[in-house]
Every structure is written in structure tokens, then in C-alpha cells.
Amino acid sequence: MEKIGIIDLGSNSARLVIVNLFADGHFMVIDELKESVRLGQDMERDGFLKPARVAETIKTLKMFRKLCDASGVTRIIAVATEAVRRAKNQRSFLDEIQSSCGIKIRVLSAEEEAVLVYRGVINTMDVPKGIVLEIGGGSTKIVYYNRRNMLNYVTLPFGAVTLTGLFSGDGLKPEQQAEKIEEFFTEQLKQVEWLKDVDPDVQMMGVGGSFRNLFKISKMVHKYPLDTVHNYKMQVEDFLPVYDMIKVLDLDKKKKIKGLSAERADILPAALAVIKSFINYLGVESFTFSGAGLREGLMFNQALPMTVEKPVADVLNYSLTTLVKYYDCDEKHVEHVVNLSIQLFKQLRVLHKFPRQYLRILKVAAMLHDCGERIKYYNHQRHSWYMILNSNLYGVTHRDIVLAAFTACCHKKEDINMADWARYKDIVSEEDLEVVKKLGVMLRIAESLDRAHSGTIKSINCDILGDSVIMKTEVDGDAALEIRNAMTASTEFRKSFHKNLEIL
């Protein structure tokens, strides 16, 4: 396993992520440090990075270097974007960083940056056709793709920091500044010819710190129970009141908004104005947040070089496999429980009548059912529940994550805490509780049928006869332990499926 550091030097902030690269193409972020350096501030006047901003950036990069050295990082991959790309004093700035911090920074071209943002999104979201809006401090990227192929991109040289600077004068009220930014940005969009040909049903995805802050505000407003920005979906009708509230406030009042980072309070209205302009221009009714972007694109390049040529084929399976390895689960047992769960799902379909997409929920629960053992074996199903809810799963909706967590919590016994269930009432429905109980009992049986982690039971064949389900097992060795353990689920099976259970 190799430990690397990735530094993203943007126009507004500098970020370091420390990443463990596993030997087989997977990775996990294990540490992060972020500082607001405002490197692109006041560049509009003459195109030079200002001495105070340069000094703050070098101070930050020295801290990054110290953390990397202390963490045992063997390689640092550092990139810079719009502010450094445009700076007239770029060369002297990069040389000073190299000599004072020992960090070599590569300045990304506009195309390289757009491609990395696209890779971060396409390898973590199961959305075959989309348009990505990434709002940075000094630029805004728009990427359009279909069938998981990048079709067009544009980098507009205006971001949250530069737009705030451009429209902060002339004695305008905050709401007037926001309106001016909307008008200005809409004119920029009109210059992008290919935007006129974007399919009307395309899914919009938002990337960047401003979207993350918008999620935090929305989470506070709606008391949203999950703390996961990735794949969070927001309706335009919910976005507009937030925008209307923030755009009229002065800076002191904005800093007091719960969920809004104080260091981003002055530039968030500009970012929200960009979002408003974009959704109006495209006529979208909702947008999805991506917690992955440029830095994740770099991570995939390092961990899985094949993604330079083509994206991950199965986003969810890749993400689940990463977590199985990270949590050090018994991979053979996991694979066997997944296979037995799938067999049960398919053979009992006449009873549960679930559409195929519910198999995805069962698969997530089956792959991560034992991850809670990393905390403590006793009642580990409860720990698995918590860990699934808080794992950074890719390629799956928030609803599916919640249902999978509660399903995994049933793999030892029907262990649904109704107070916990009530917390997620805005994500799941009352009918979903019966779904969880049925999926949970299937998982419990499948897990029991590999109780010794030995693969003794190879397959299952279910016959539904009258008021009973007869499960015939194909075995290789003595399966008494497995069958005895599976039969402890017979009471829950009868409650869920209204059939008696027999296992042969």
C-alpha cells in the first residue's frame, strides 16, 4: 500500500488530501486539510498574484508539507488551476514554492482541469447522461457528457471570487449585485454554442465548495438526517428560497447563517447567482450534488490508471469493493453471502414481488453486513448500520443507502429501532419498512448459510408448496451448523412472507 498526498491549489482555497492506494486499484482518503488562501483575489487589475496572497499560500503549503512528512507520504501530486494559470508572475511563484516548500506544482490547462472534474464525477455517479457545473474561485467549468463519454466542455474565466470582486463596487445593494452577476453570467452562457443543443432531459450535477455549503444550509433548513453531500438531490423550488434569503443579507448577517462557512460567506452569493443563471438558462427542475471532482479525478488516475482511457464500468460495485477491503472484511464470505442473497431474491420473487432495483439494496447490505465487526463483534449489526449510513458510497441513492443500512441491521435478528427509522421519514416511506424486513430476513438466511465462512452450501433451490417454502441446499460437506443457524430466522420469515420455512 502506498500513501500519497494530493494538493489542489485553487483561486479561493488550497486543499490537501492524503490517500492510501491499495495494491489492486482501490483507494481511500485518510486525512484532509483545507485553507482559504484567496490566491486569485485582486488579480483583475493587472493579472499579478498579490504578495500578501502569495505569502499566505506559501505558509499554507509549508503546513501541507509538514503534515505529509509526518504522515509518511511518499509522493505529492500538486496541481494549480485558474489563478495560477492566468498569473503573469506564474513562473516566479512556482519557483518560490519549489525552493521554500519542496513542492513541484503542475499548472493544469483548462482542458486538463475539465477532464479531471469529469473523471471525478463519472467514476462516482451512476448517471449515464449529465451536465456538470463546477464553480471555482477563479473560473467556472461546464462539462457535458452522454453515454459516459465527454462530449463538450467550456471553462469560463469567472468564479465566485472574481465575480464577487467585479460587482462589489458602485454602491450596489447585495441583491443588486446578485442580479448583475446573474445577467452577466447569462450573457456568458449565450456565447457557448453547444449549450443550445443540450438534451432537455439532461441531469445537472453541481461540484465544488459552494455546492457543499449549499448542501449544509439545505440540510439545516430541512433537518435532513444524512450528512452525505454526494448524490444529494435538490429541487429548484427548494433552492430559490435559500438564494432569495442569502442574496439580500449583508456580510455580517451571512456569517451567522447555520451551515455557511464564515470564510465563504462573502463569495457564496456570487456562486448562487451563477447556479440561478444556469438553471434558468437550461430550464432544469432539480440538480444533484457531487462530492467528487478534480481531486477524485486525480485519485482515480493514480489508483486505477485505466480510468484515463475509460471510466469505471460498475460504479457501485467498485465503491463497495473498496469499502470491503478498507474494513478488512472476509472477502470470500462476502462474495458467498452476496451470491446466496441473490439466489434467494430471485427464487422468492413470486412472494416479495420486488422490482429488480431492490436487488441493489440487498447487494449493498450483503457486502457490508459484517463491516461493524471493525468496531466490536457483539451487536455488530448495529455498528454495520451506522457505518453504511456514514460510508461514502458511490453510485447509489440516499434512499437506497438508508434501506441497505437497516437491511444489514437485520442480518442477525430483526433489529429495527423505530426511533431510528423515524429519523429518516423524509427519505423512506412506511411501506419501505416491510421492504426492509423482507430483504433483512433474506440476508439473515444467506449469511447463516455460510455461518462457518467455509462455502459449504454452494447453492439453494426454493420450492413454494402450499403454506411452506422448501429450501433445498447443494452442499459440499457437513452443513448442519449452517442449516441450524438459518432455521433461527423461521419466525421472521413467516411474519414477512406468510409461509413456513423448511431447509433441507
Side-chain angles (χ1 to χ4, degrees):
M1 183 170 63
E2 184 184 12
K3 191 177 292 184
I4 65 170
I6 291 178
I7 295 173
D8 173 12
L9 183 55
S11 303
N12 178 53
S13 60
R15 280 183 181 269
L16 163 70
V17 288
I18 296 177
V19 185
N20 275 344
L21 299 182
F22 306 148
D24 48 5
H26 297 266
F27 63 88
M28 184 64 66
V29 173
I30 60 167
D31 205 349
E32 178 187 45
L33 191 57
K34 169 183 174 281
E35 293 291 326
S36 179
V37 296
R38 294 290 170 93
L39 187 58
Q41 193 167 304
D42 300 327
M43 276 188 68
E44 294 76 23
R45 295 200 301 269
D46 55 13
F48 281 86
L49 300 170
K50 299 300 176 283
R53 299 296 96 212
V54 170
E56 185 65 27
T57 301
I58 289 175
K59 178 183 175 183
T60 295
L61 291 176
K62 285 180 177 178
M63 288 192 296
F64 287 0
R65 180 82 217 197
K66 179 179 180 180
L67 183 58
C68 285
D69 291 344
S71 302
V73 165
T74 56
R75 280 191 298 139
I76 295 177
I77 297 133
V79 298
T81 53
E82 183 68 15
V84 182
R85 189 160 57 228
R86 290 193 292 118
K88 293 179 181 178
N89 54 339
Q90 178 194 114
R91 188 68 265 160
S92 62
F93 172 67
L94 296 177
D95 288 345
E96 187 173 356
I97 289 174
Q98 175 87 58
S99 62
S100 61
C101 307
I103 298 172
K104 184 176 182 179
I105 293 183
R106 180 165 69 93
V107 181
L108 298 174
S109 69
E111 181 178 8
E112 287 174 322
E113 187 178 355
V115 168
L116 285 169
V117 170
Y118 163 73
R119 286 181 188 153
V121 171
I122 200 65
N123 288 307
T124 61
M125 300 192 79
D126 190 13
V127 180
K129 177 171 65 176
I131 189 158
V132 181
L133 177 69
E134 199 258 14
I135 305 171
S139 67
T140 299
K141 274 75 66 184
I142 305 170
V143 179
Y144 179 44
Y145 70 90
N146 193 4
R147 296 181 180 177
R148 312 192 82 217
N149 288 306
M150 186 170 160
L151 300 179
N152 282 300
Y153 81 92
V154 65
T155 298
L156 302 174
F158 308 99
V161 173
T162 48
L163 288 170
T164 300
L166 281 172
F167 293 93
S168 60
D170 302 327
L172 296 174
K173 294 180 179 179
E175 62 267 33
Q176 292 174 321
Q177 293 176 21
E179 289 165 7
K180 289 286 186 183
I181 293 172
E182 279 187 57
E183 293 171 8
F184 174 81
F185 199 79
T186 300
E187 289 303 313
Q188 306 306 309
L189 294 176
K190 289 178 181 177
Q191 308 303 313
V192 184
E193 287 297 322
W194 58 262
L195 272 179
K196 300 179 177 68
D197 300 321
V198 169
D199 290 345
D201 62 341
V202 71
Q203 184 167 334
M204 172 187 160
M205 283 163 288
V207 178
S210 295
F211 279 100
R212 287 191 293 272
N213 253 241
L214 178 58
F215 164 74
K216 290 176 183 177
I217 295 169
S218 181
K219 173 181 166 63
M220 297 294 292
V221 169
H222 297 285
K223 295 181 173 57
Y224 193 70
L226 282 184
D227 194 28
T228 304
V229 63
H230 196 73
N231 248 328
Y232 178 73
K233 192 167 187 177
M234 190 174 202
Q235 300 297 320
V236 168
E237 63 186 33
D238 292 326
F239 163 75
L240 295 177
V242 174
Y243 175 49
D244 290 340
M245 171 190 71
I246 290 176
K247 73 179 182 182
V248 302
L249 299 177
D250 61 33
L251 183 56
D252 287 339
K253 290 181 179 177
K254 284 198 285 280
K255 286 183 177 179
K256 295 176 182 177
I257 296 174
K258 290 183 178 180
L260 175 53
S261 167
E263 62 192 27
R264 194 176 286 272
D266 59 332
I267 63 173
L268 185 64
L272 299 185
V274 168
I275 297 172
K276 174 68 166 18
S277 169
F278 195 73
I279 60 181
N280 280 358
Y281 191 77
L282 286 185
V284 301
E285 296 179 354
S286 66
F287 51 94
T288 303
F289 294 58
S290 172
L294 182 148
R295 291 181 294 280
E296 285 72 21
L298 287 168
M299 293 176 208
F300 275 100
N301 282 3
Q302 295 298 315
L304 200 61
M306 59 157 279
T307 55
V308 173
E309 302 296 330
K310 61 180 181 178
V312 170
D314 187 336
V315 172
L316 176 58
N317 190 65
Y318 175 85
S319 180
L320 286 168
T321 303
T322 298
L323 290 175
V324 166
K325 293 177 181 297
Y326 181 67
Y327 293 140
D328 195 27
C329 300
D330 182 337
E331 293 185 43
K332 288 186 177 180
H333 174 64
V334 166
E335 182 181 0
H336 205 57
V337 172
V338 169
N339 288 336
L340 292 173
S341 297
I342 291 171
Q343 290 179 43
L344 283 171
F345 183 91
K346 291 179 177 179
Q347 293 182 35
L348 297 177
R349 181 172 279 143
V350 68
L351 297 180
H352 60 68
K353 299 181 174 63
F354 294 148
R356 183 173 176 78
Q357 58 262 34
Y358 282 84
L359 188 56
R360 180 171 62 241
I361 298 167
L362 182 57
K363 181 178 179 181
V364 173
M367 287 196 73
L368 299 178
H369 71 280
D370 274 343
C371 66
E373 290 183 5
R374 304 287 75 73
I375 297 175
K376 185 175 67 174
Y377 175 78
Y378 296 107
N379 291 319
H380 68 265
Q381 72 275 6
R382 297 289 299 166
H383 304 310
S384 296
W385 168 81
Y386 175 85
M387 291 168 73
I388 293 170
L389 284 173
N390 291 278
S391 292
N392 197 25
L393 270 171
Y394 296 143
V396 65
T397 67
H398 285 192
R399 174 179 176 268
D400 286 356
I401 289 172
V402 173
L403 294 181
F406 278 97
T407 298
C409 198
C410 294
H411 86 270
K412 286 295 182 186
K413 57 182 178 179
E414 190 177 292
D415 197 4
I416 300 173
N417 184 306
M418 294 310 298
D420 289 334
W421 179 262
R423 287 181 57 210
Y424 300 92
K425 59 181 172 41
D426 294 332
I427 300 178
V428 296
S429 65
E430 289 184 22
E431 292 77 14
D432 285 330
L433 185 58
E434 293 307 313
V435 171
V436 165
K437 289 179 179 179
K438 286 184 172 68
L439 294 178
V441 75
M442 283 188 270
L443 175 58
R444 181 175 171 184
I445 293 169
E447 203 270 345
S448 295
L449 292 177
D450 194 41
R451 183 65 180 83
H453 293 218
S454 58
T456 299
I457 294 179
K458 302 300 181 184
S459 65
I460 312 164
N461 184 41
C462 296
D463 290 328
I464 301 169
L465 302 173
D467 62 355
S468 297
V469 171
I470 315 296
M471 289 187 187
K472 299 174 183 174
T473 58
E474 179 189 341
V475 303
D476 182 11
D478 182 3
L481 167 65
E482 285 74 16
I483 291 174
R484 180 184 177 84
N485 203 252
M487 281 302 298
T488 63
S490 59
T491 301
E492 283 79 11
F493 187 89
R494 190 182 308 110
K495 288 179 183 176
S496 292
F497 294 103
H498 309 293
K499 299 285 183 184
N500 296 316
L501 176 65
E502 293 182 43
I503 304 177
L504 306 176

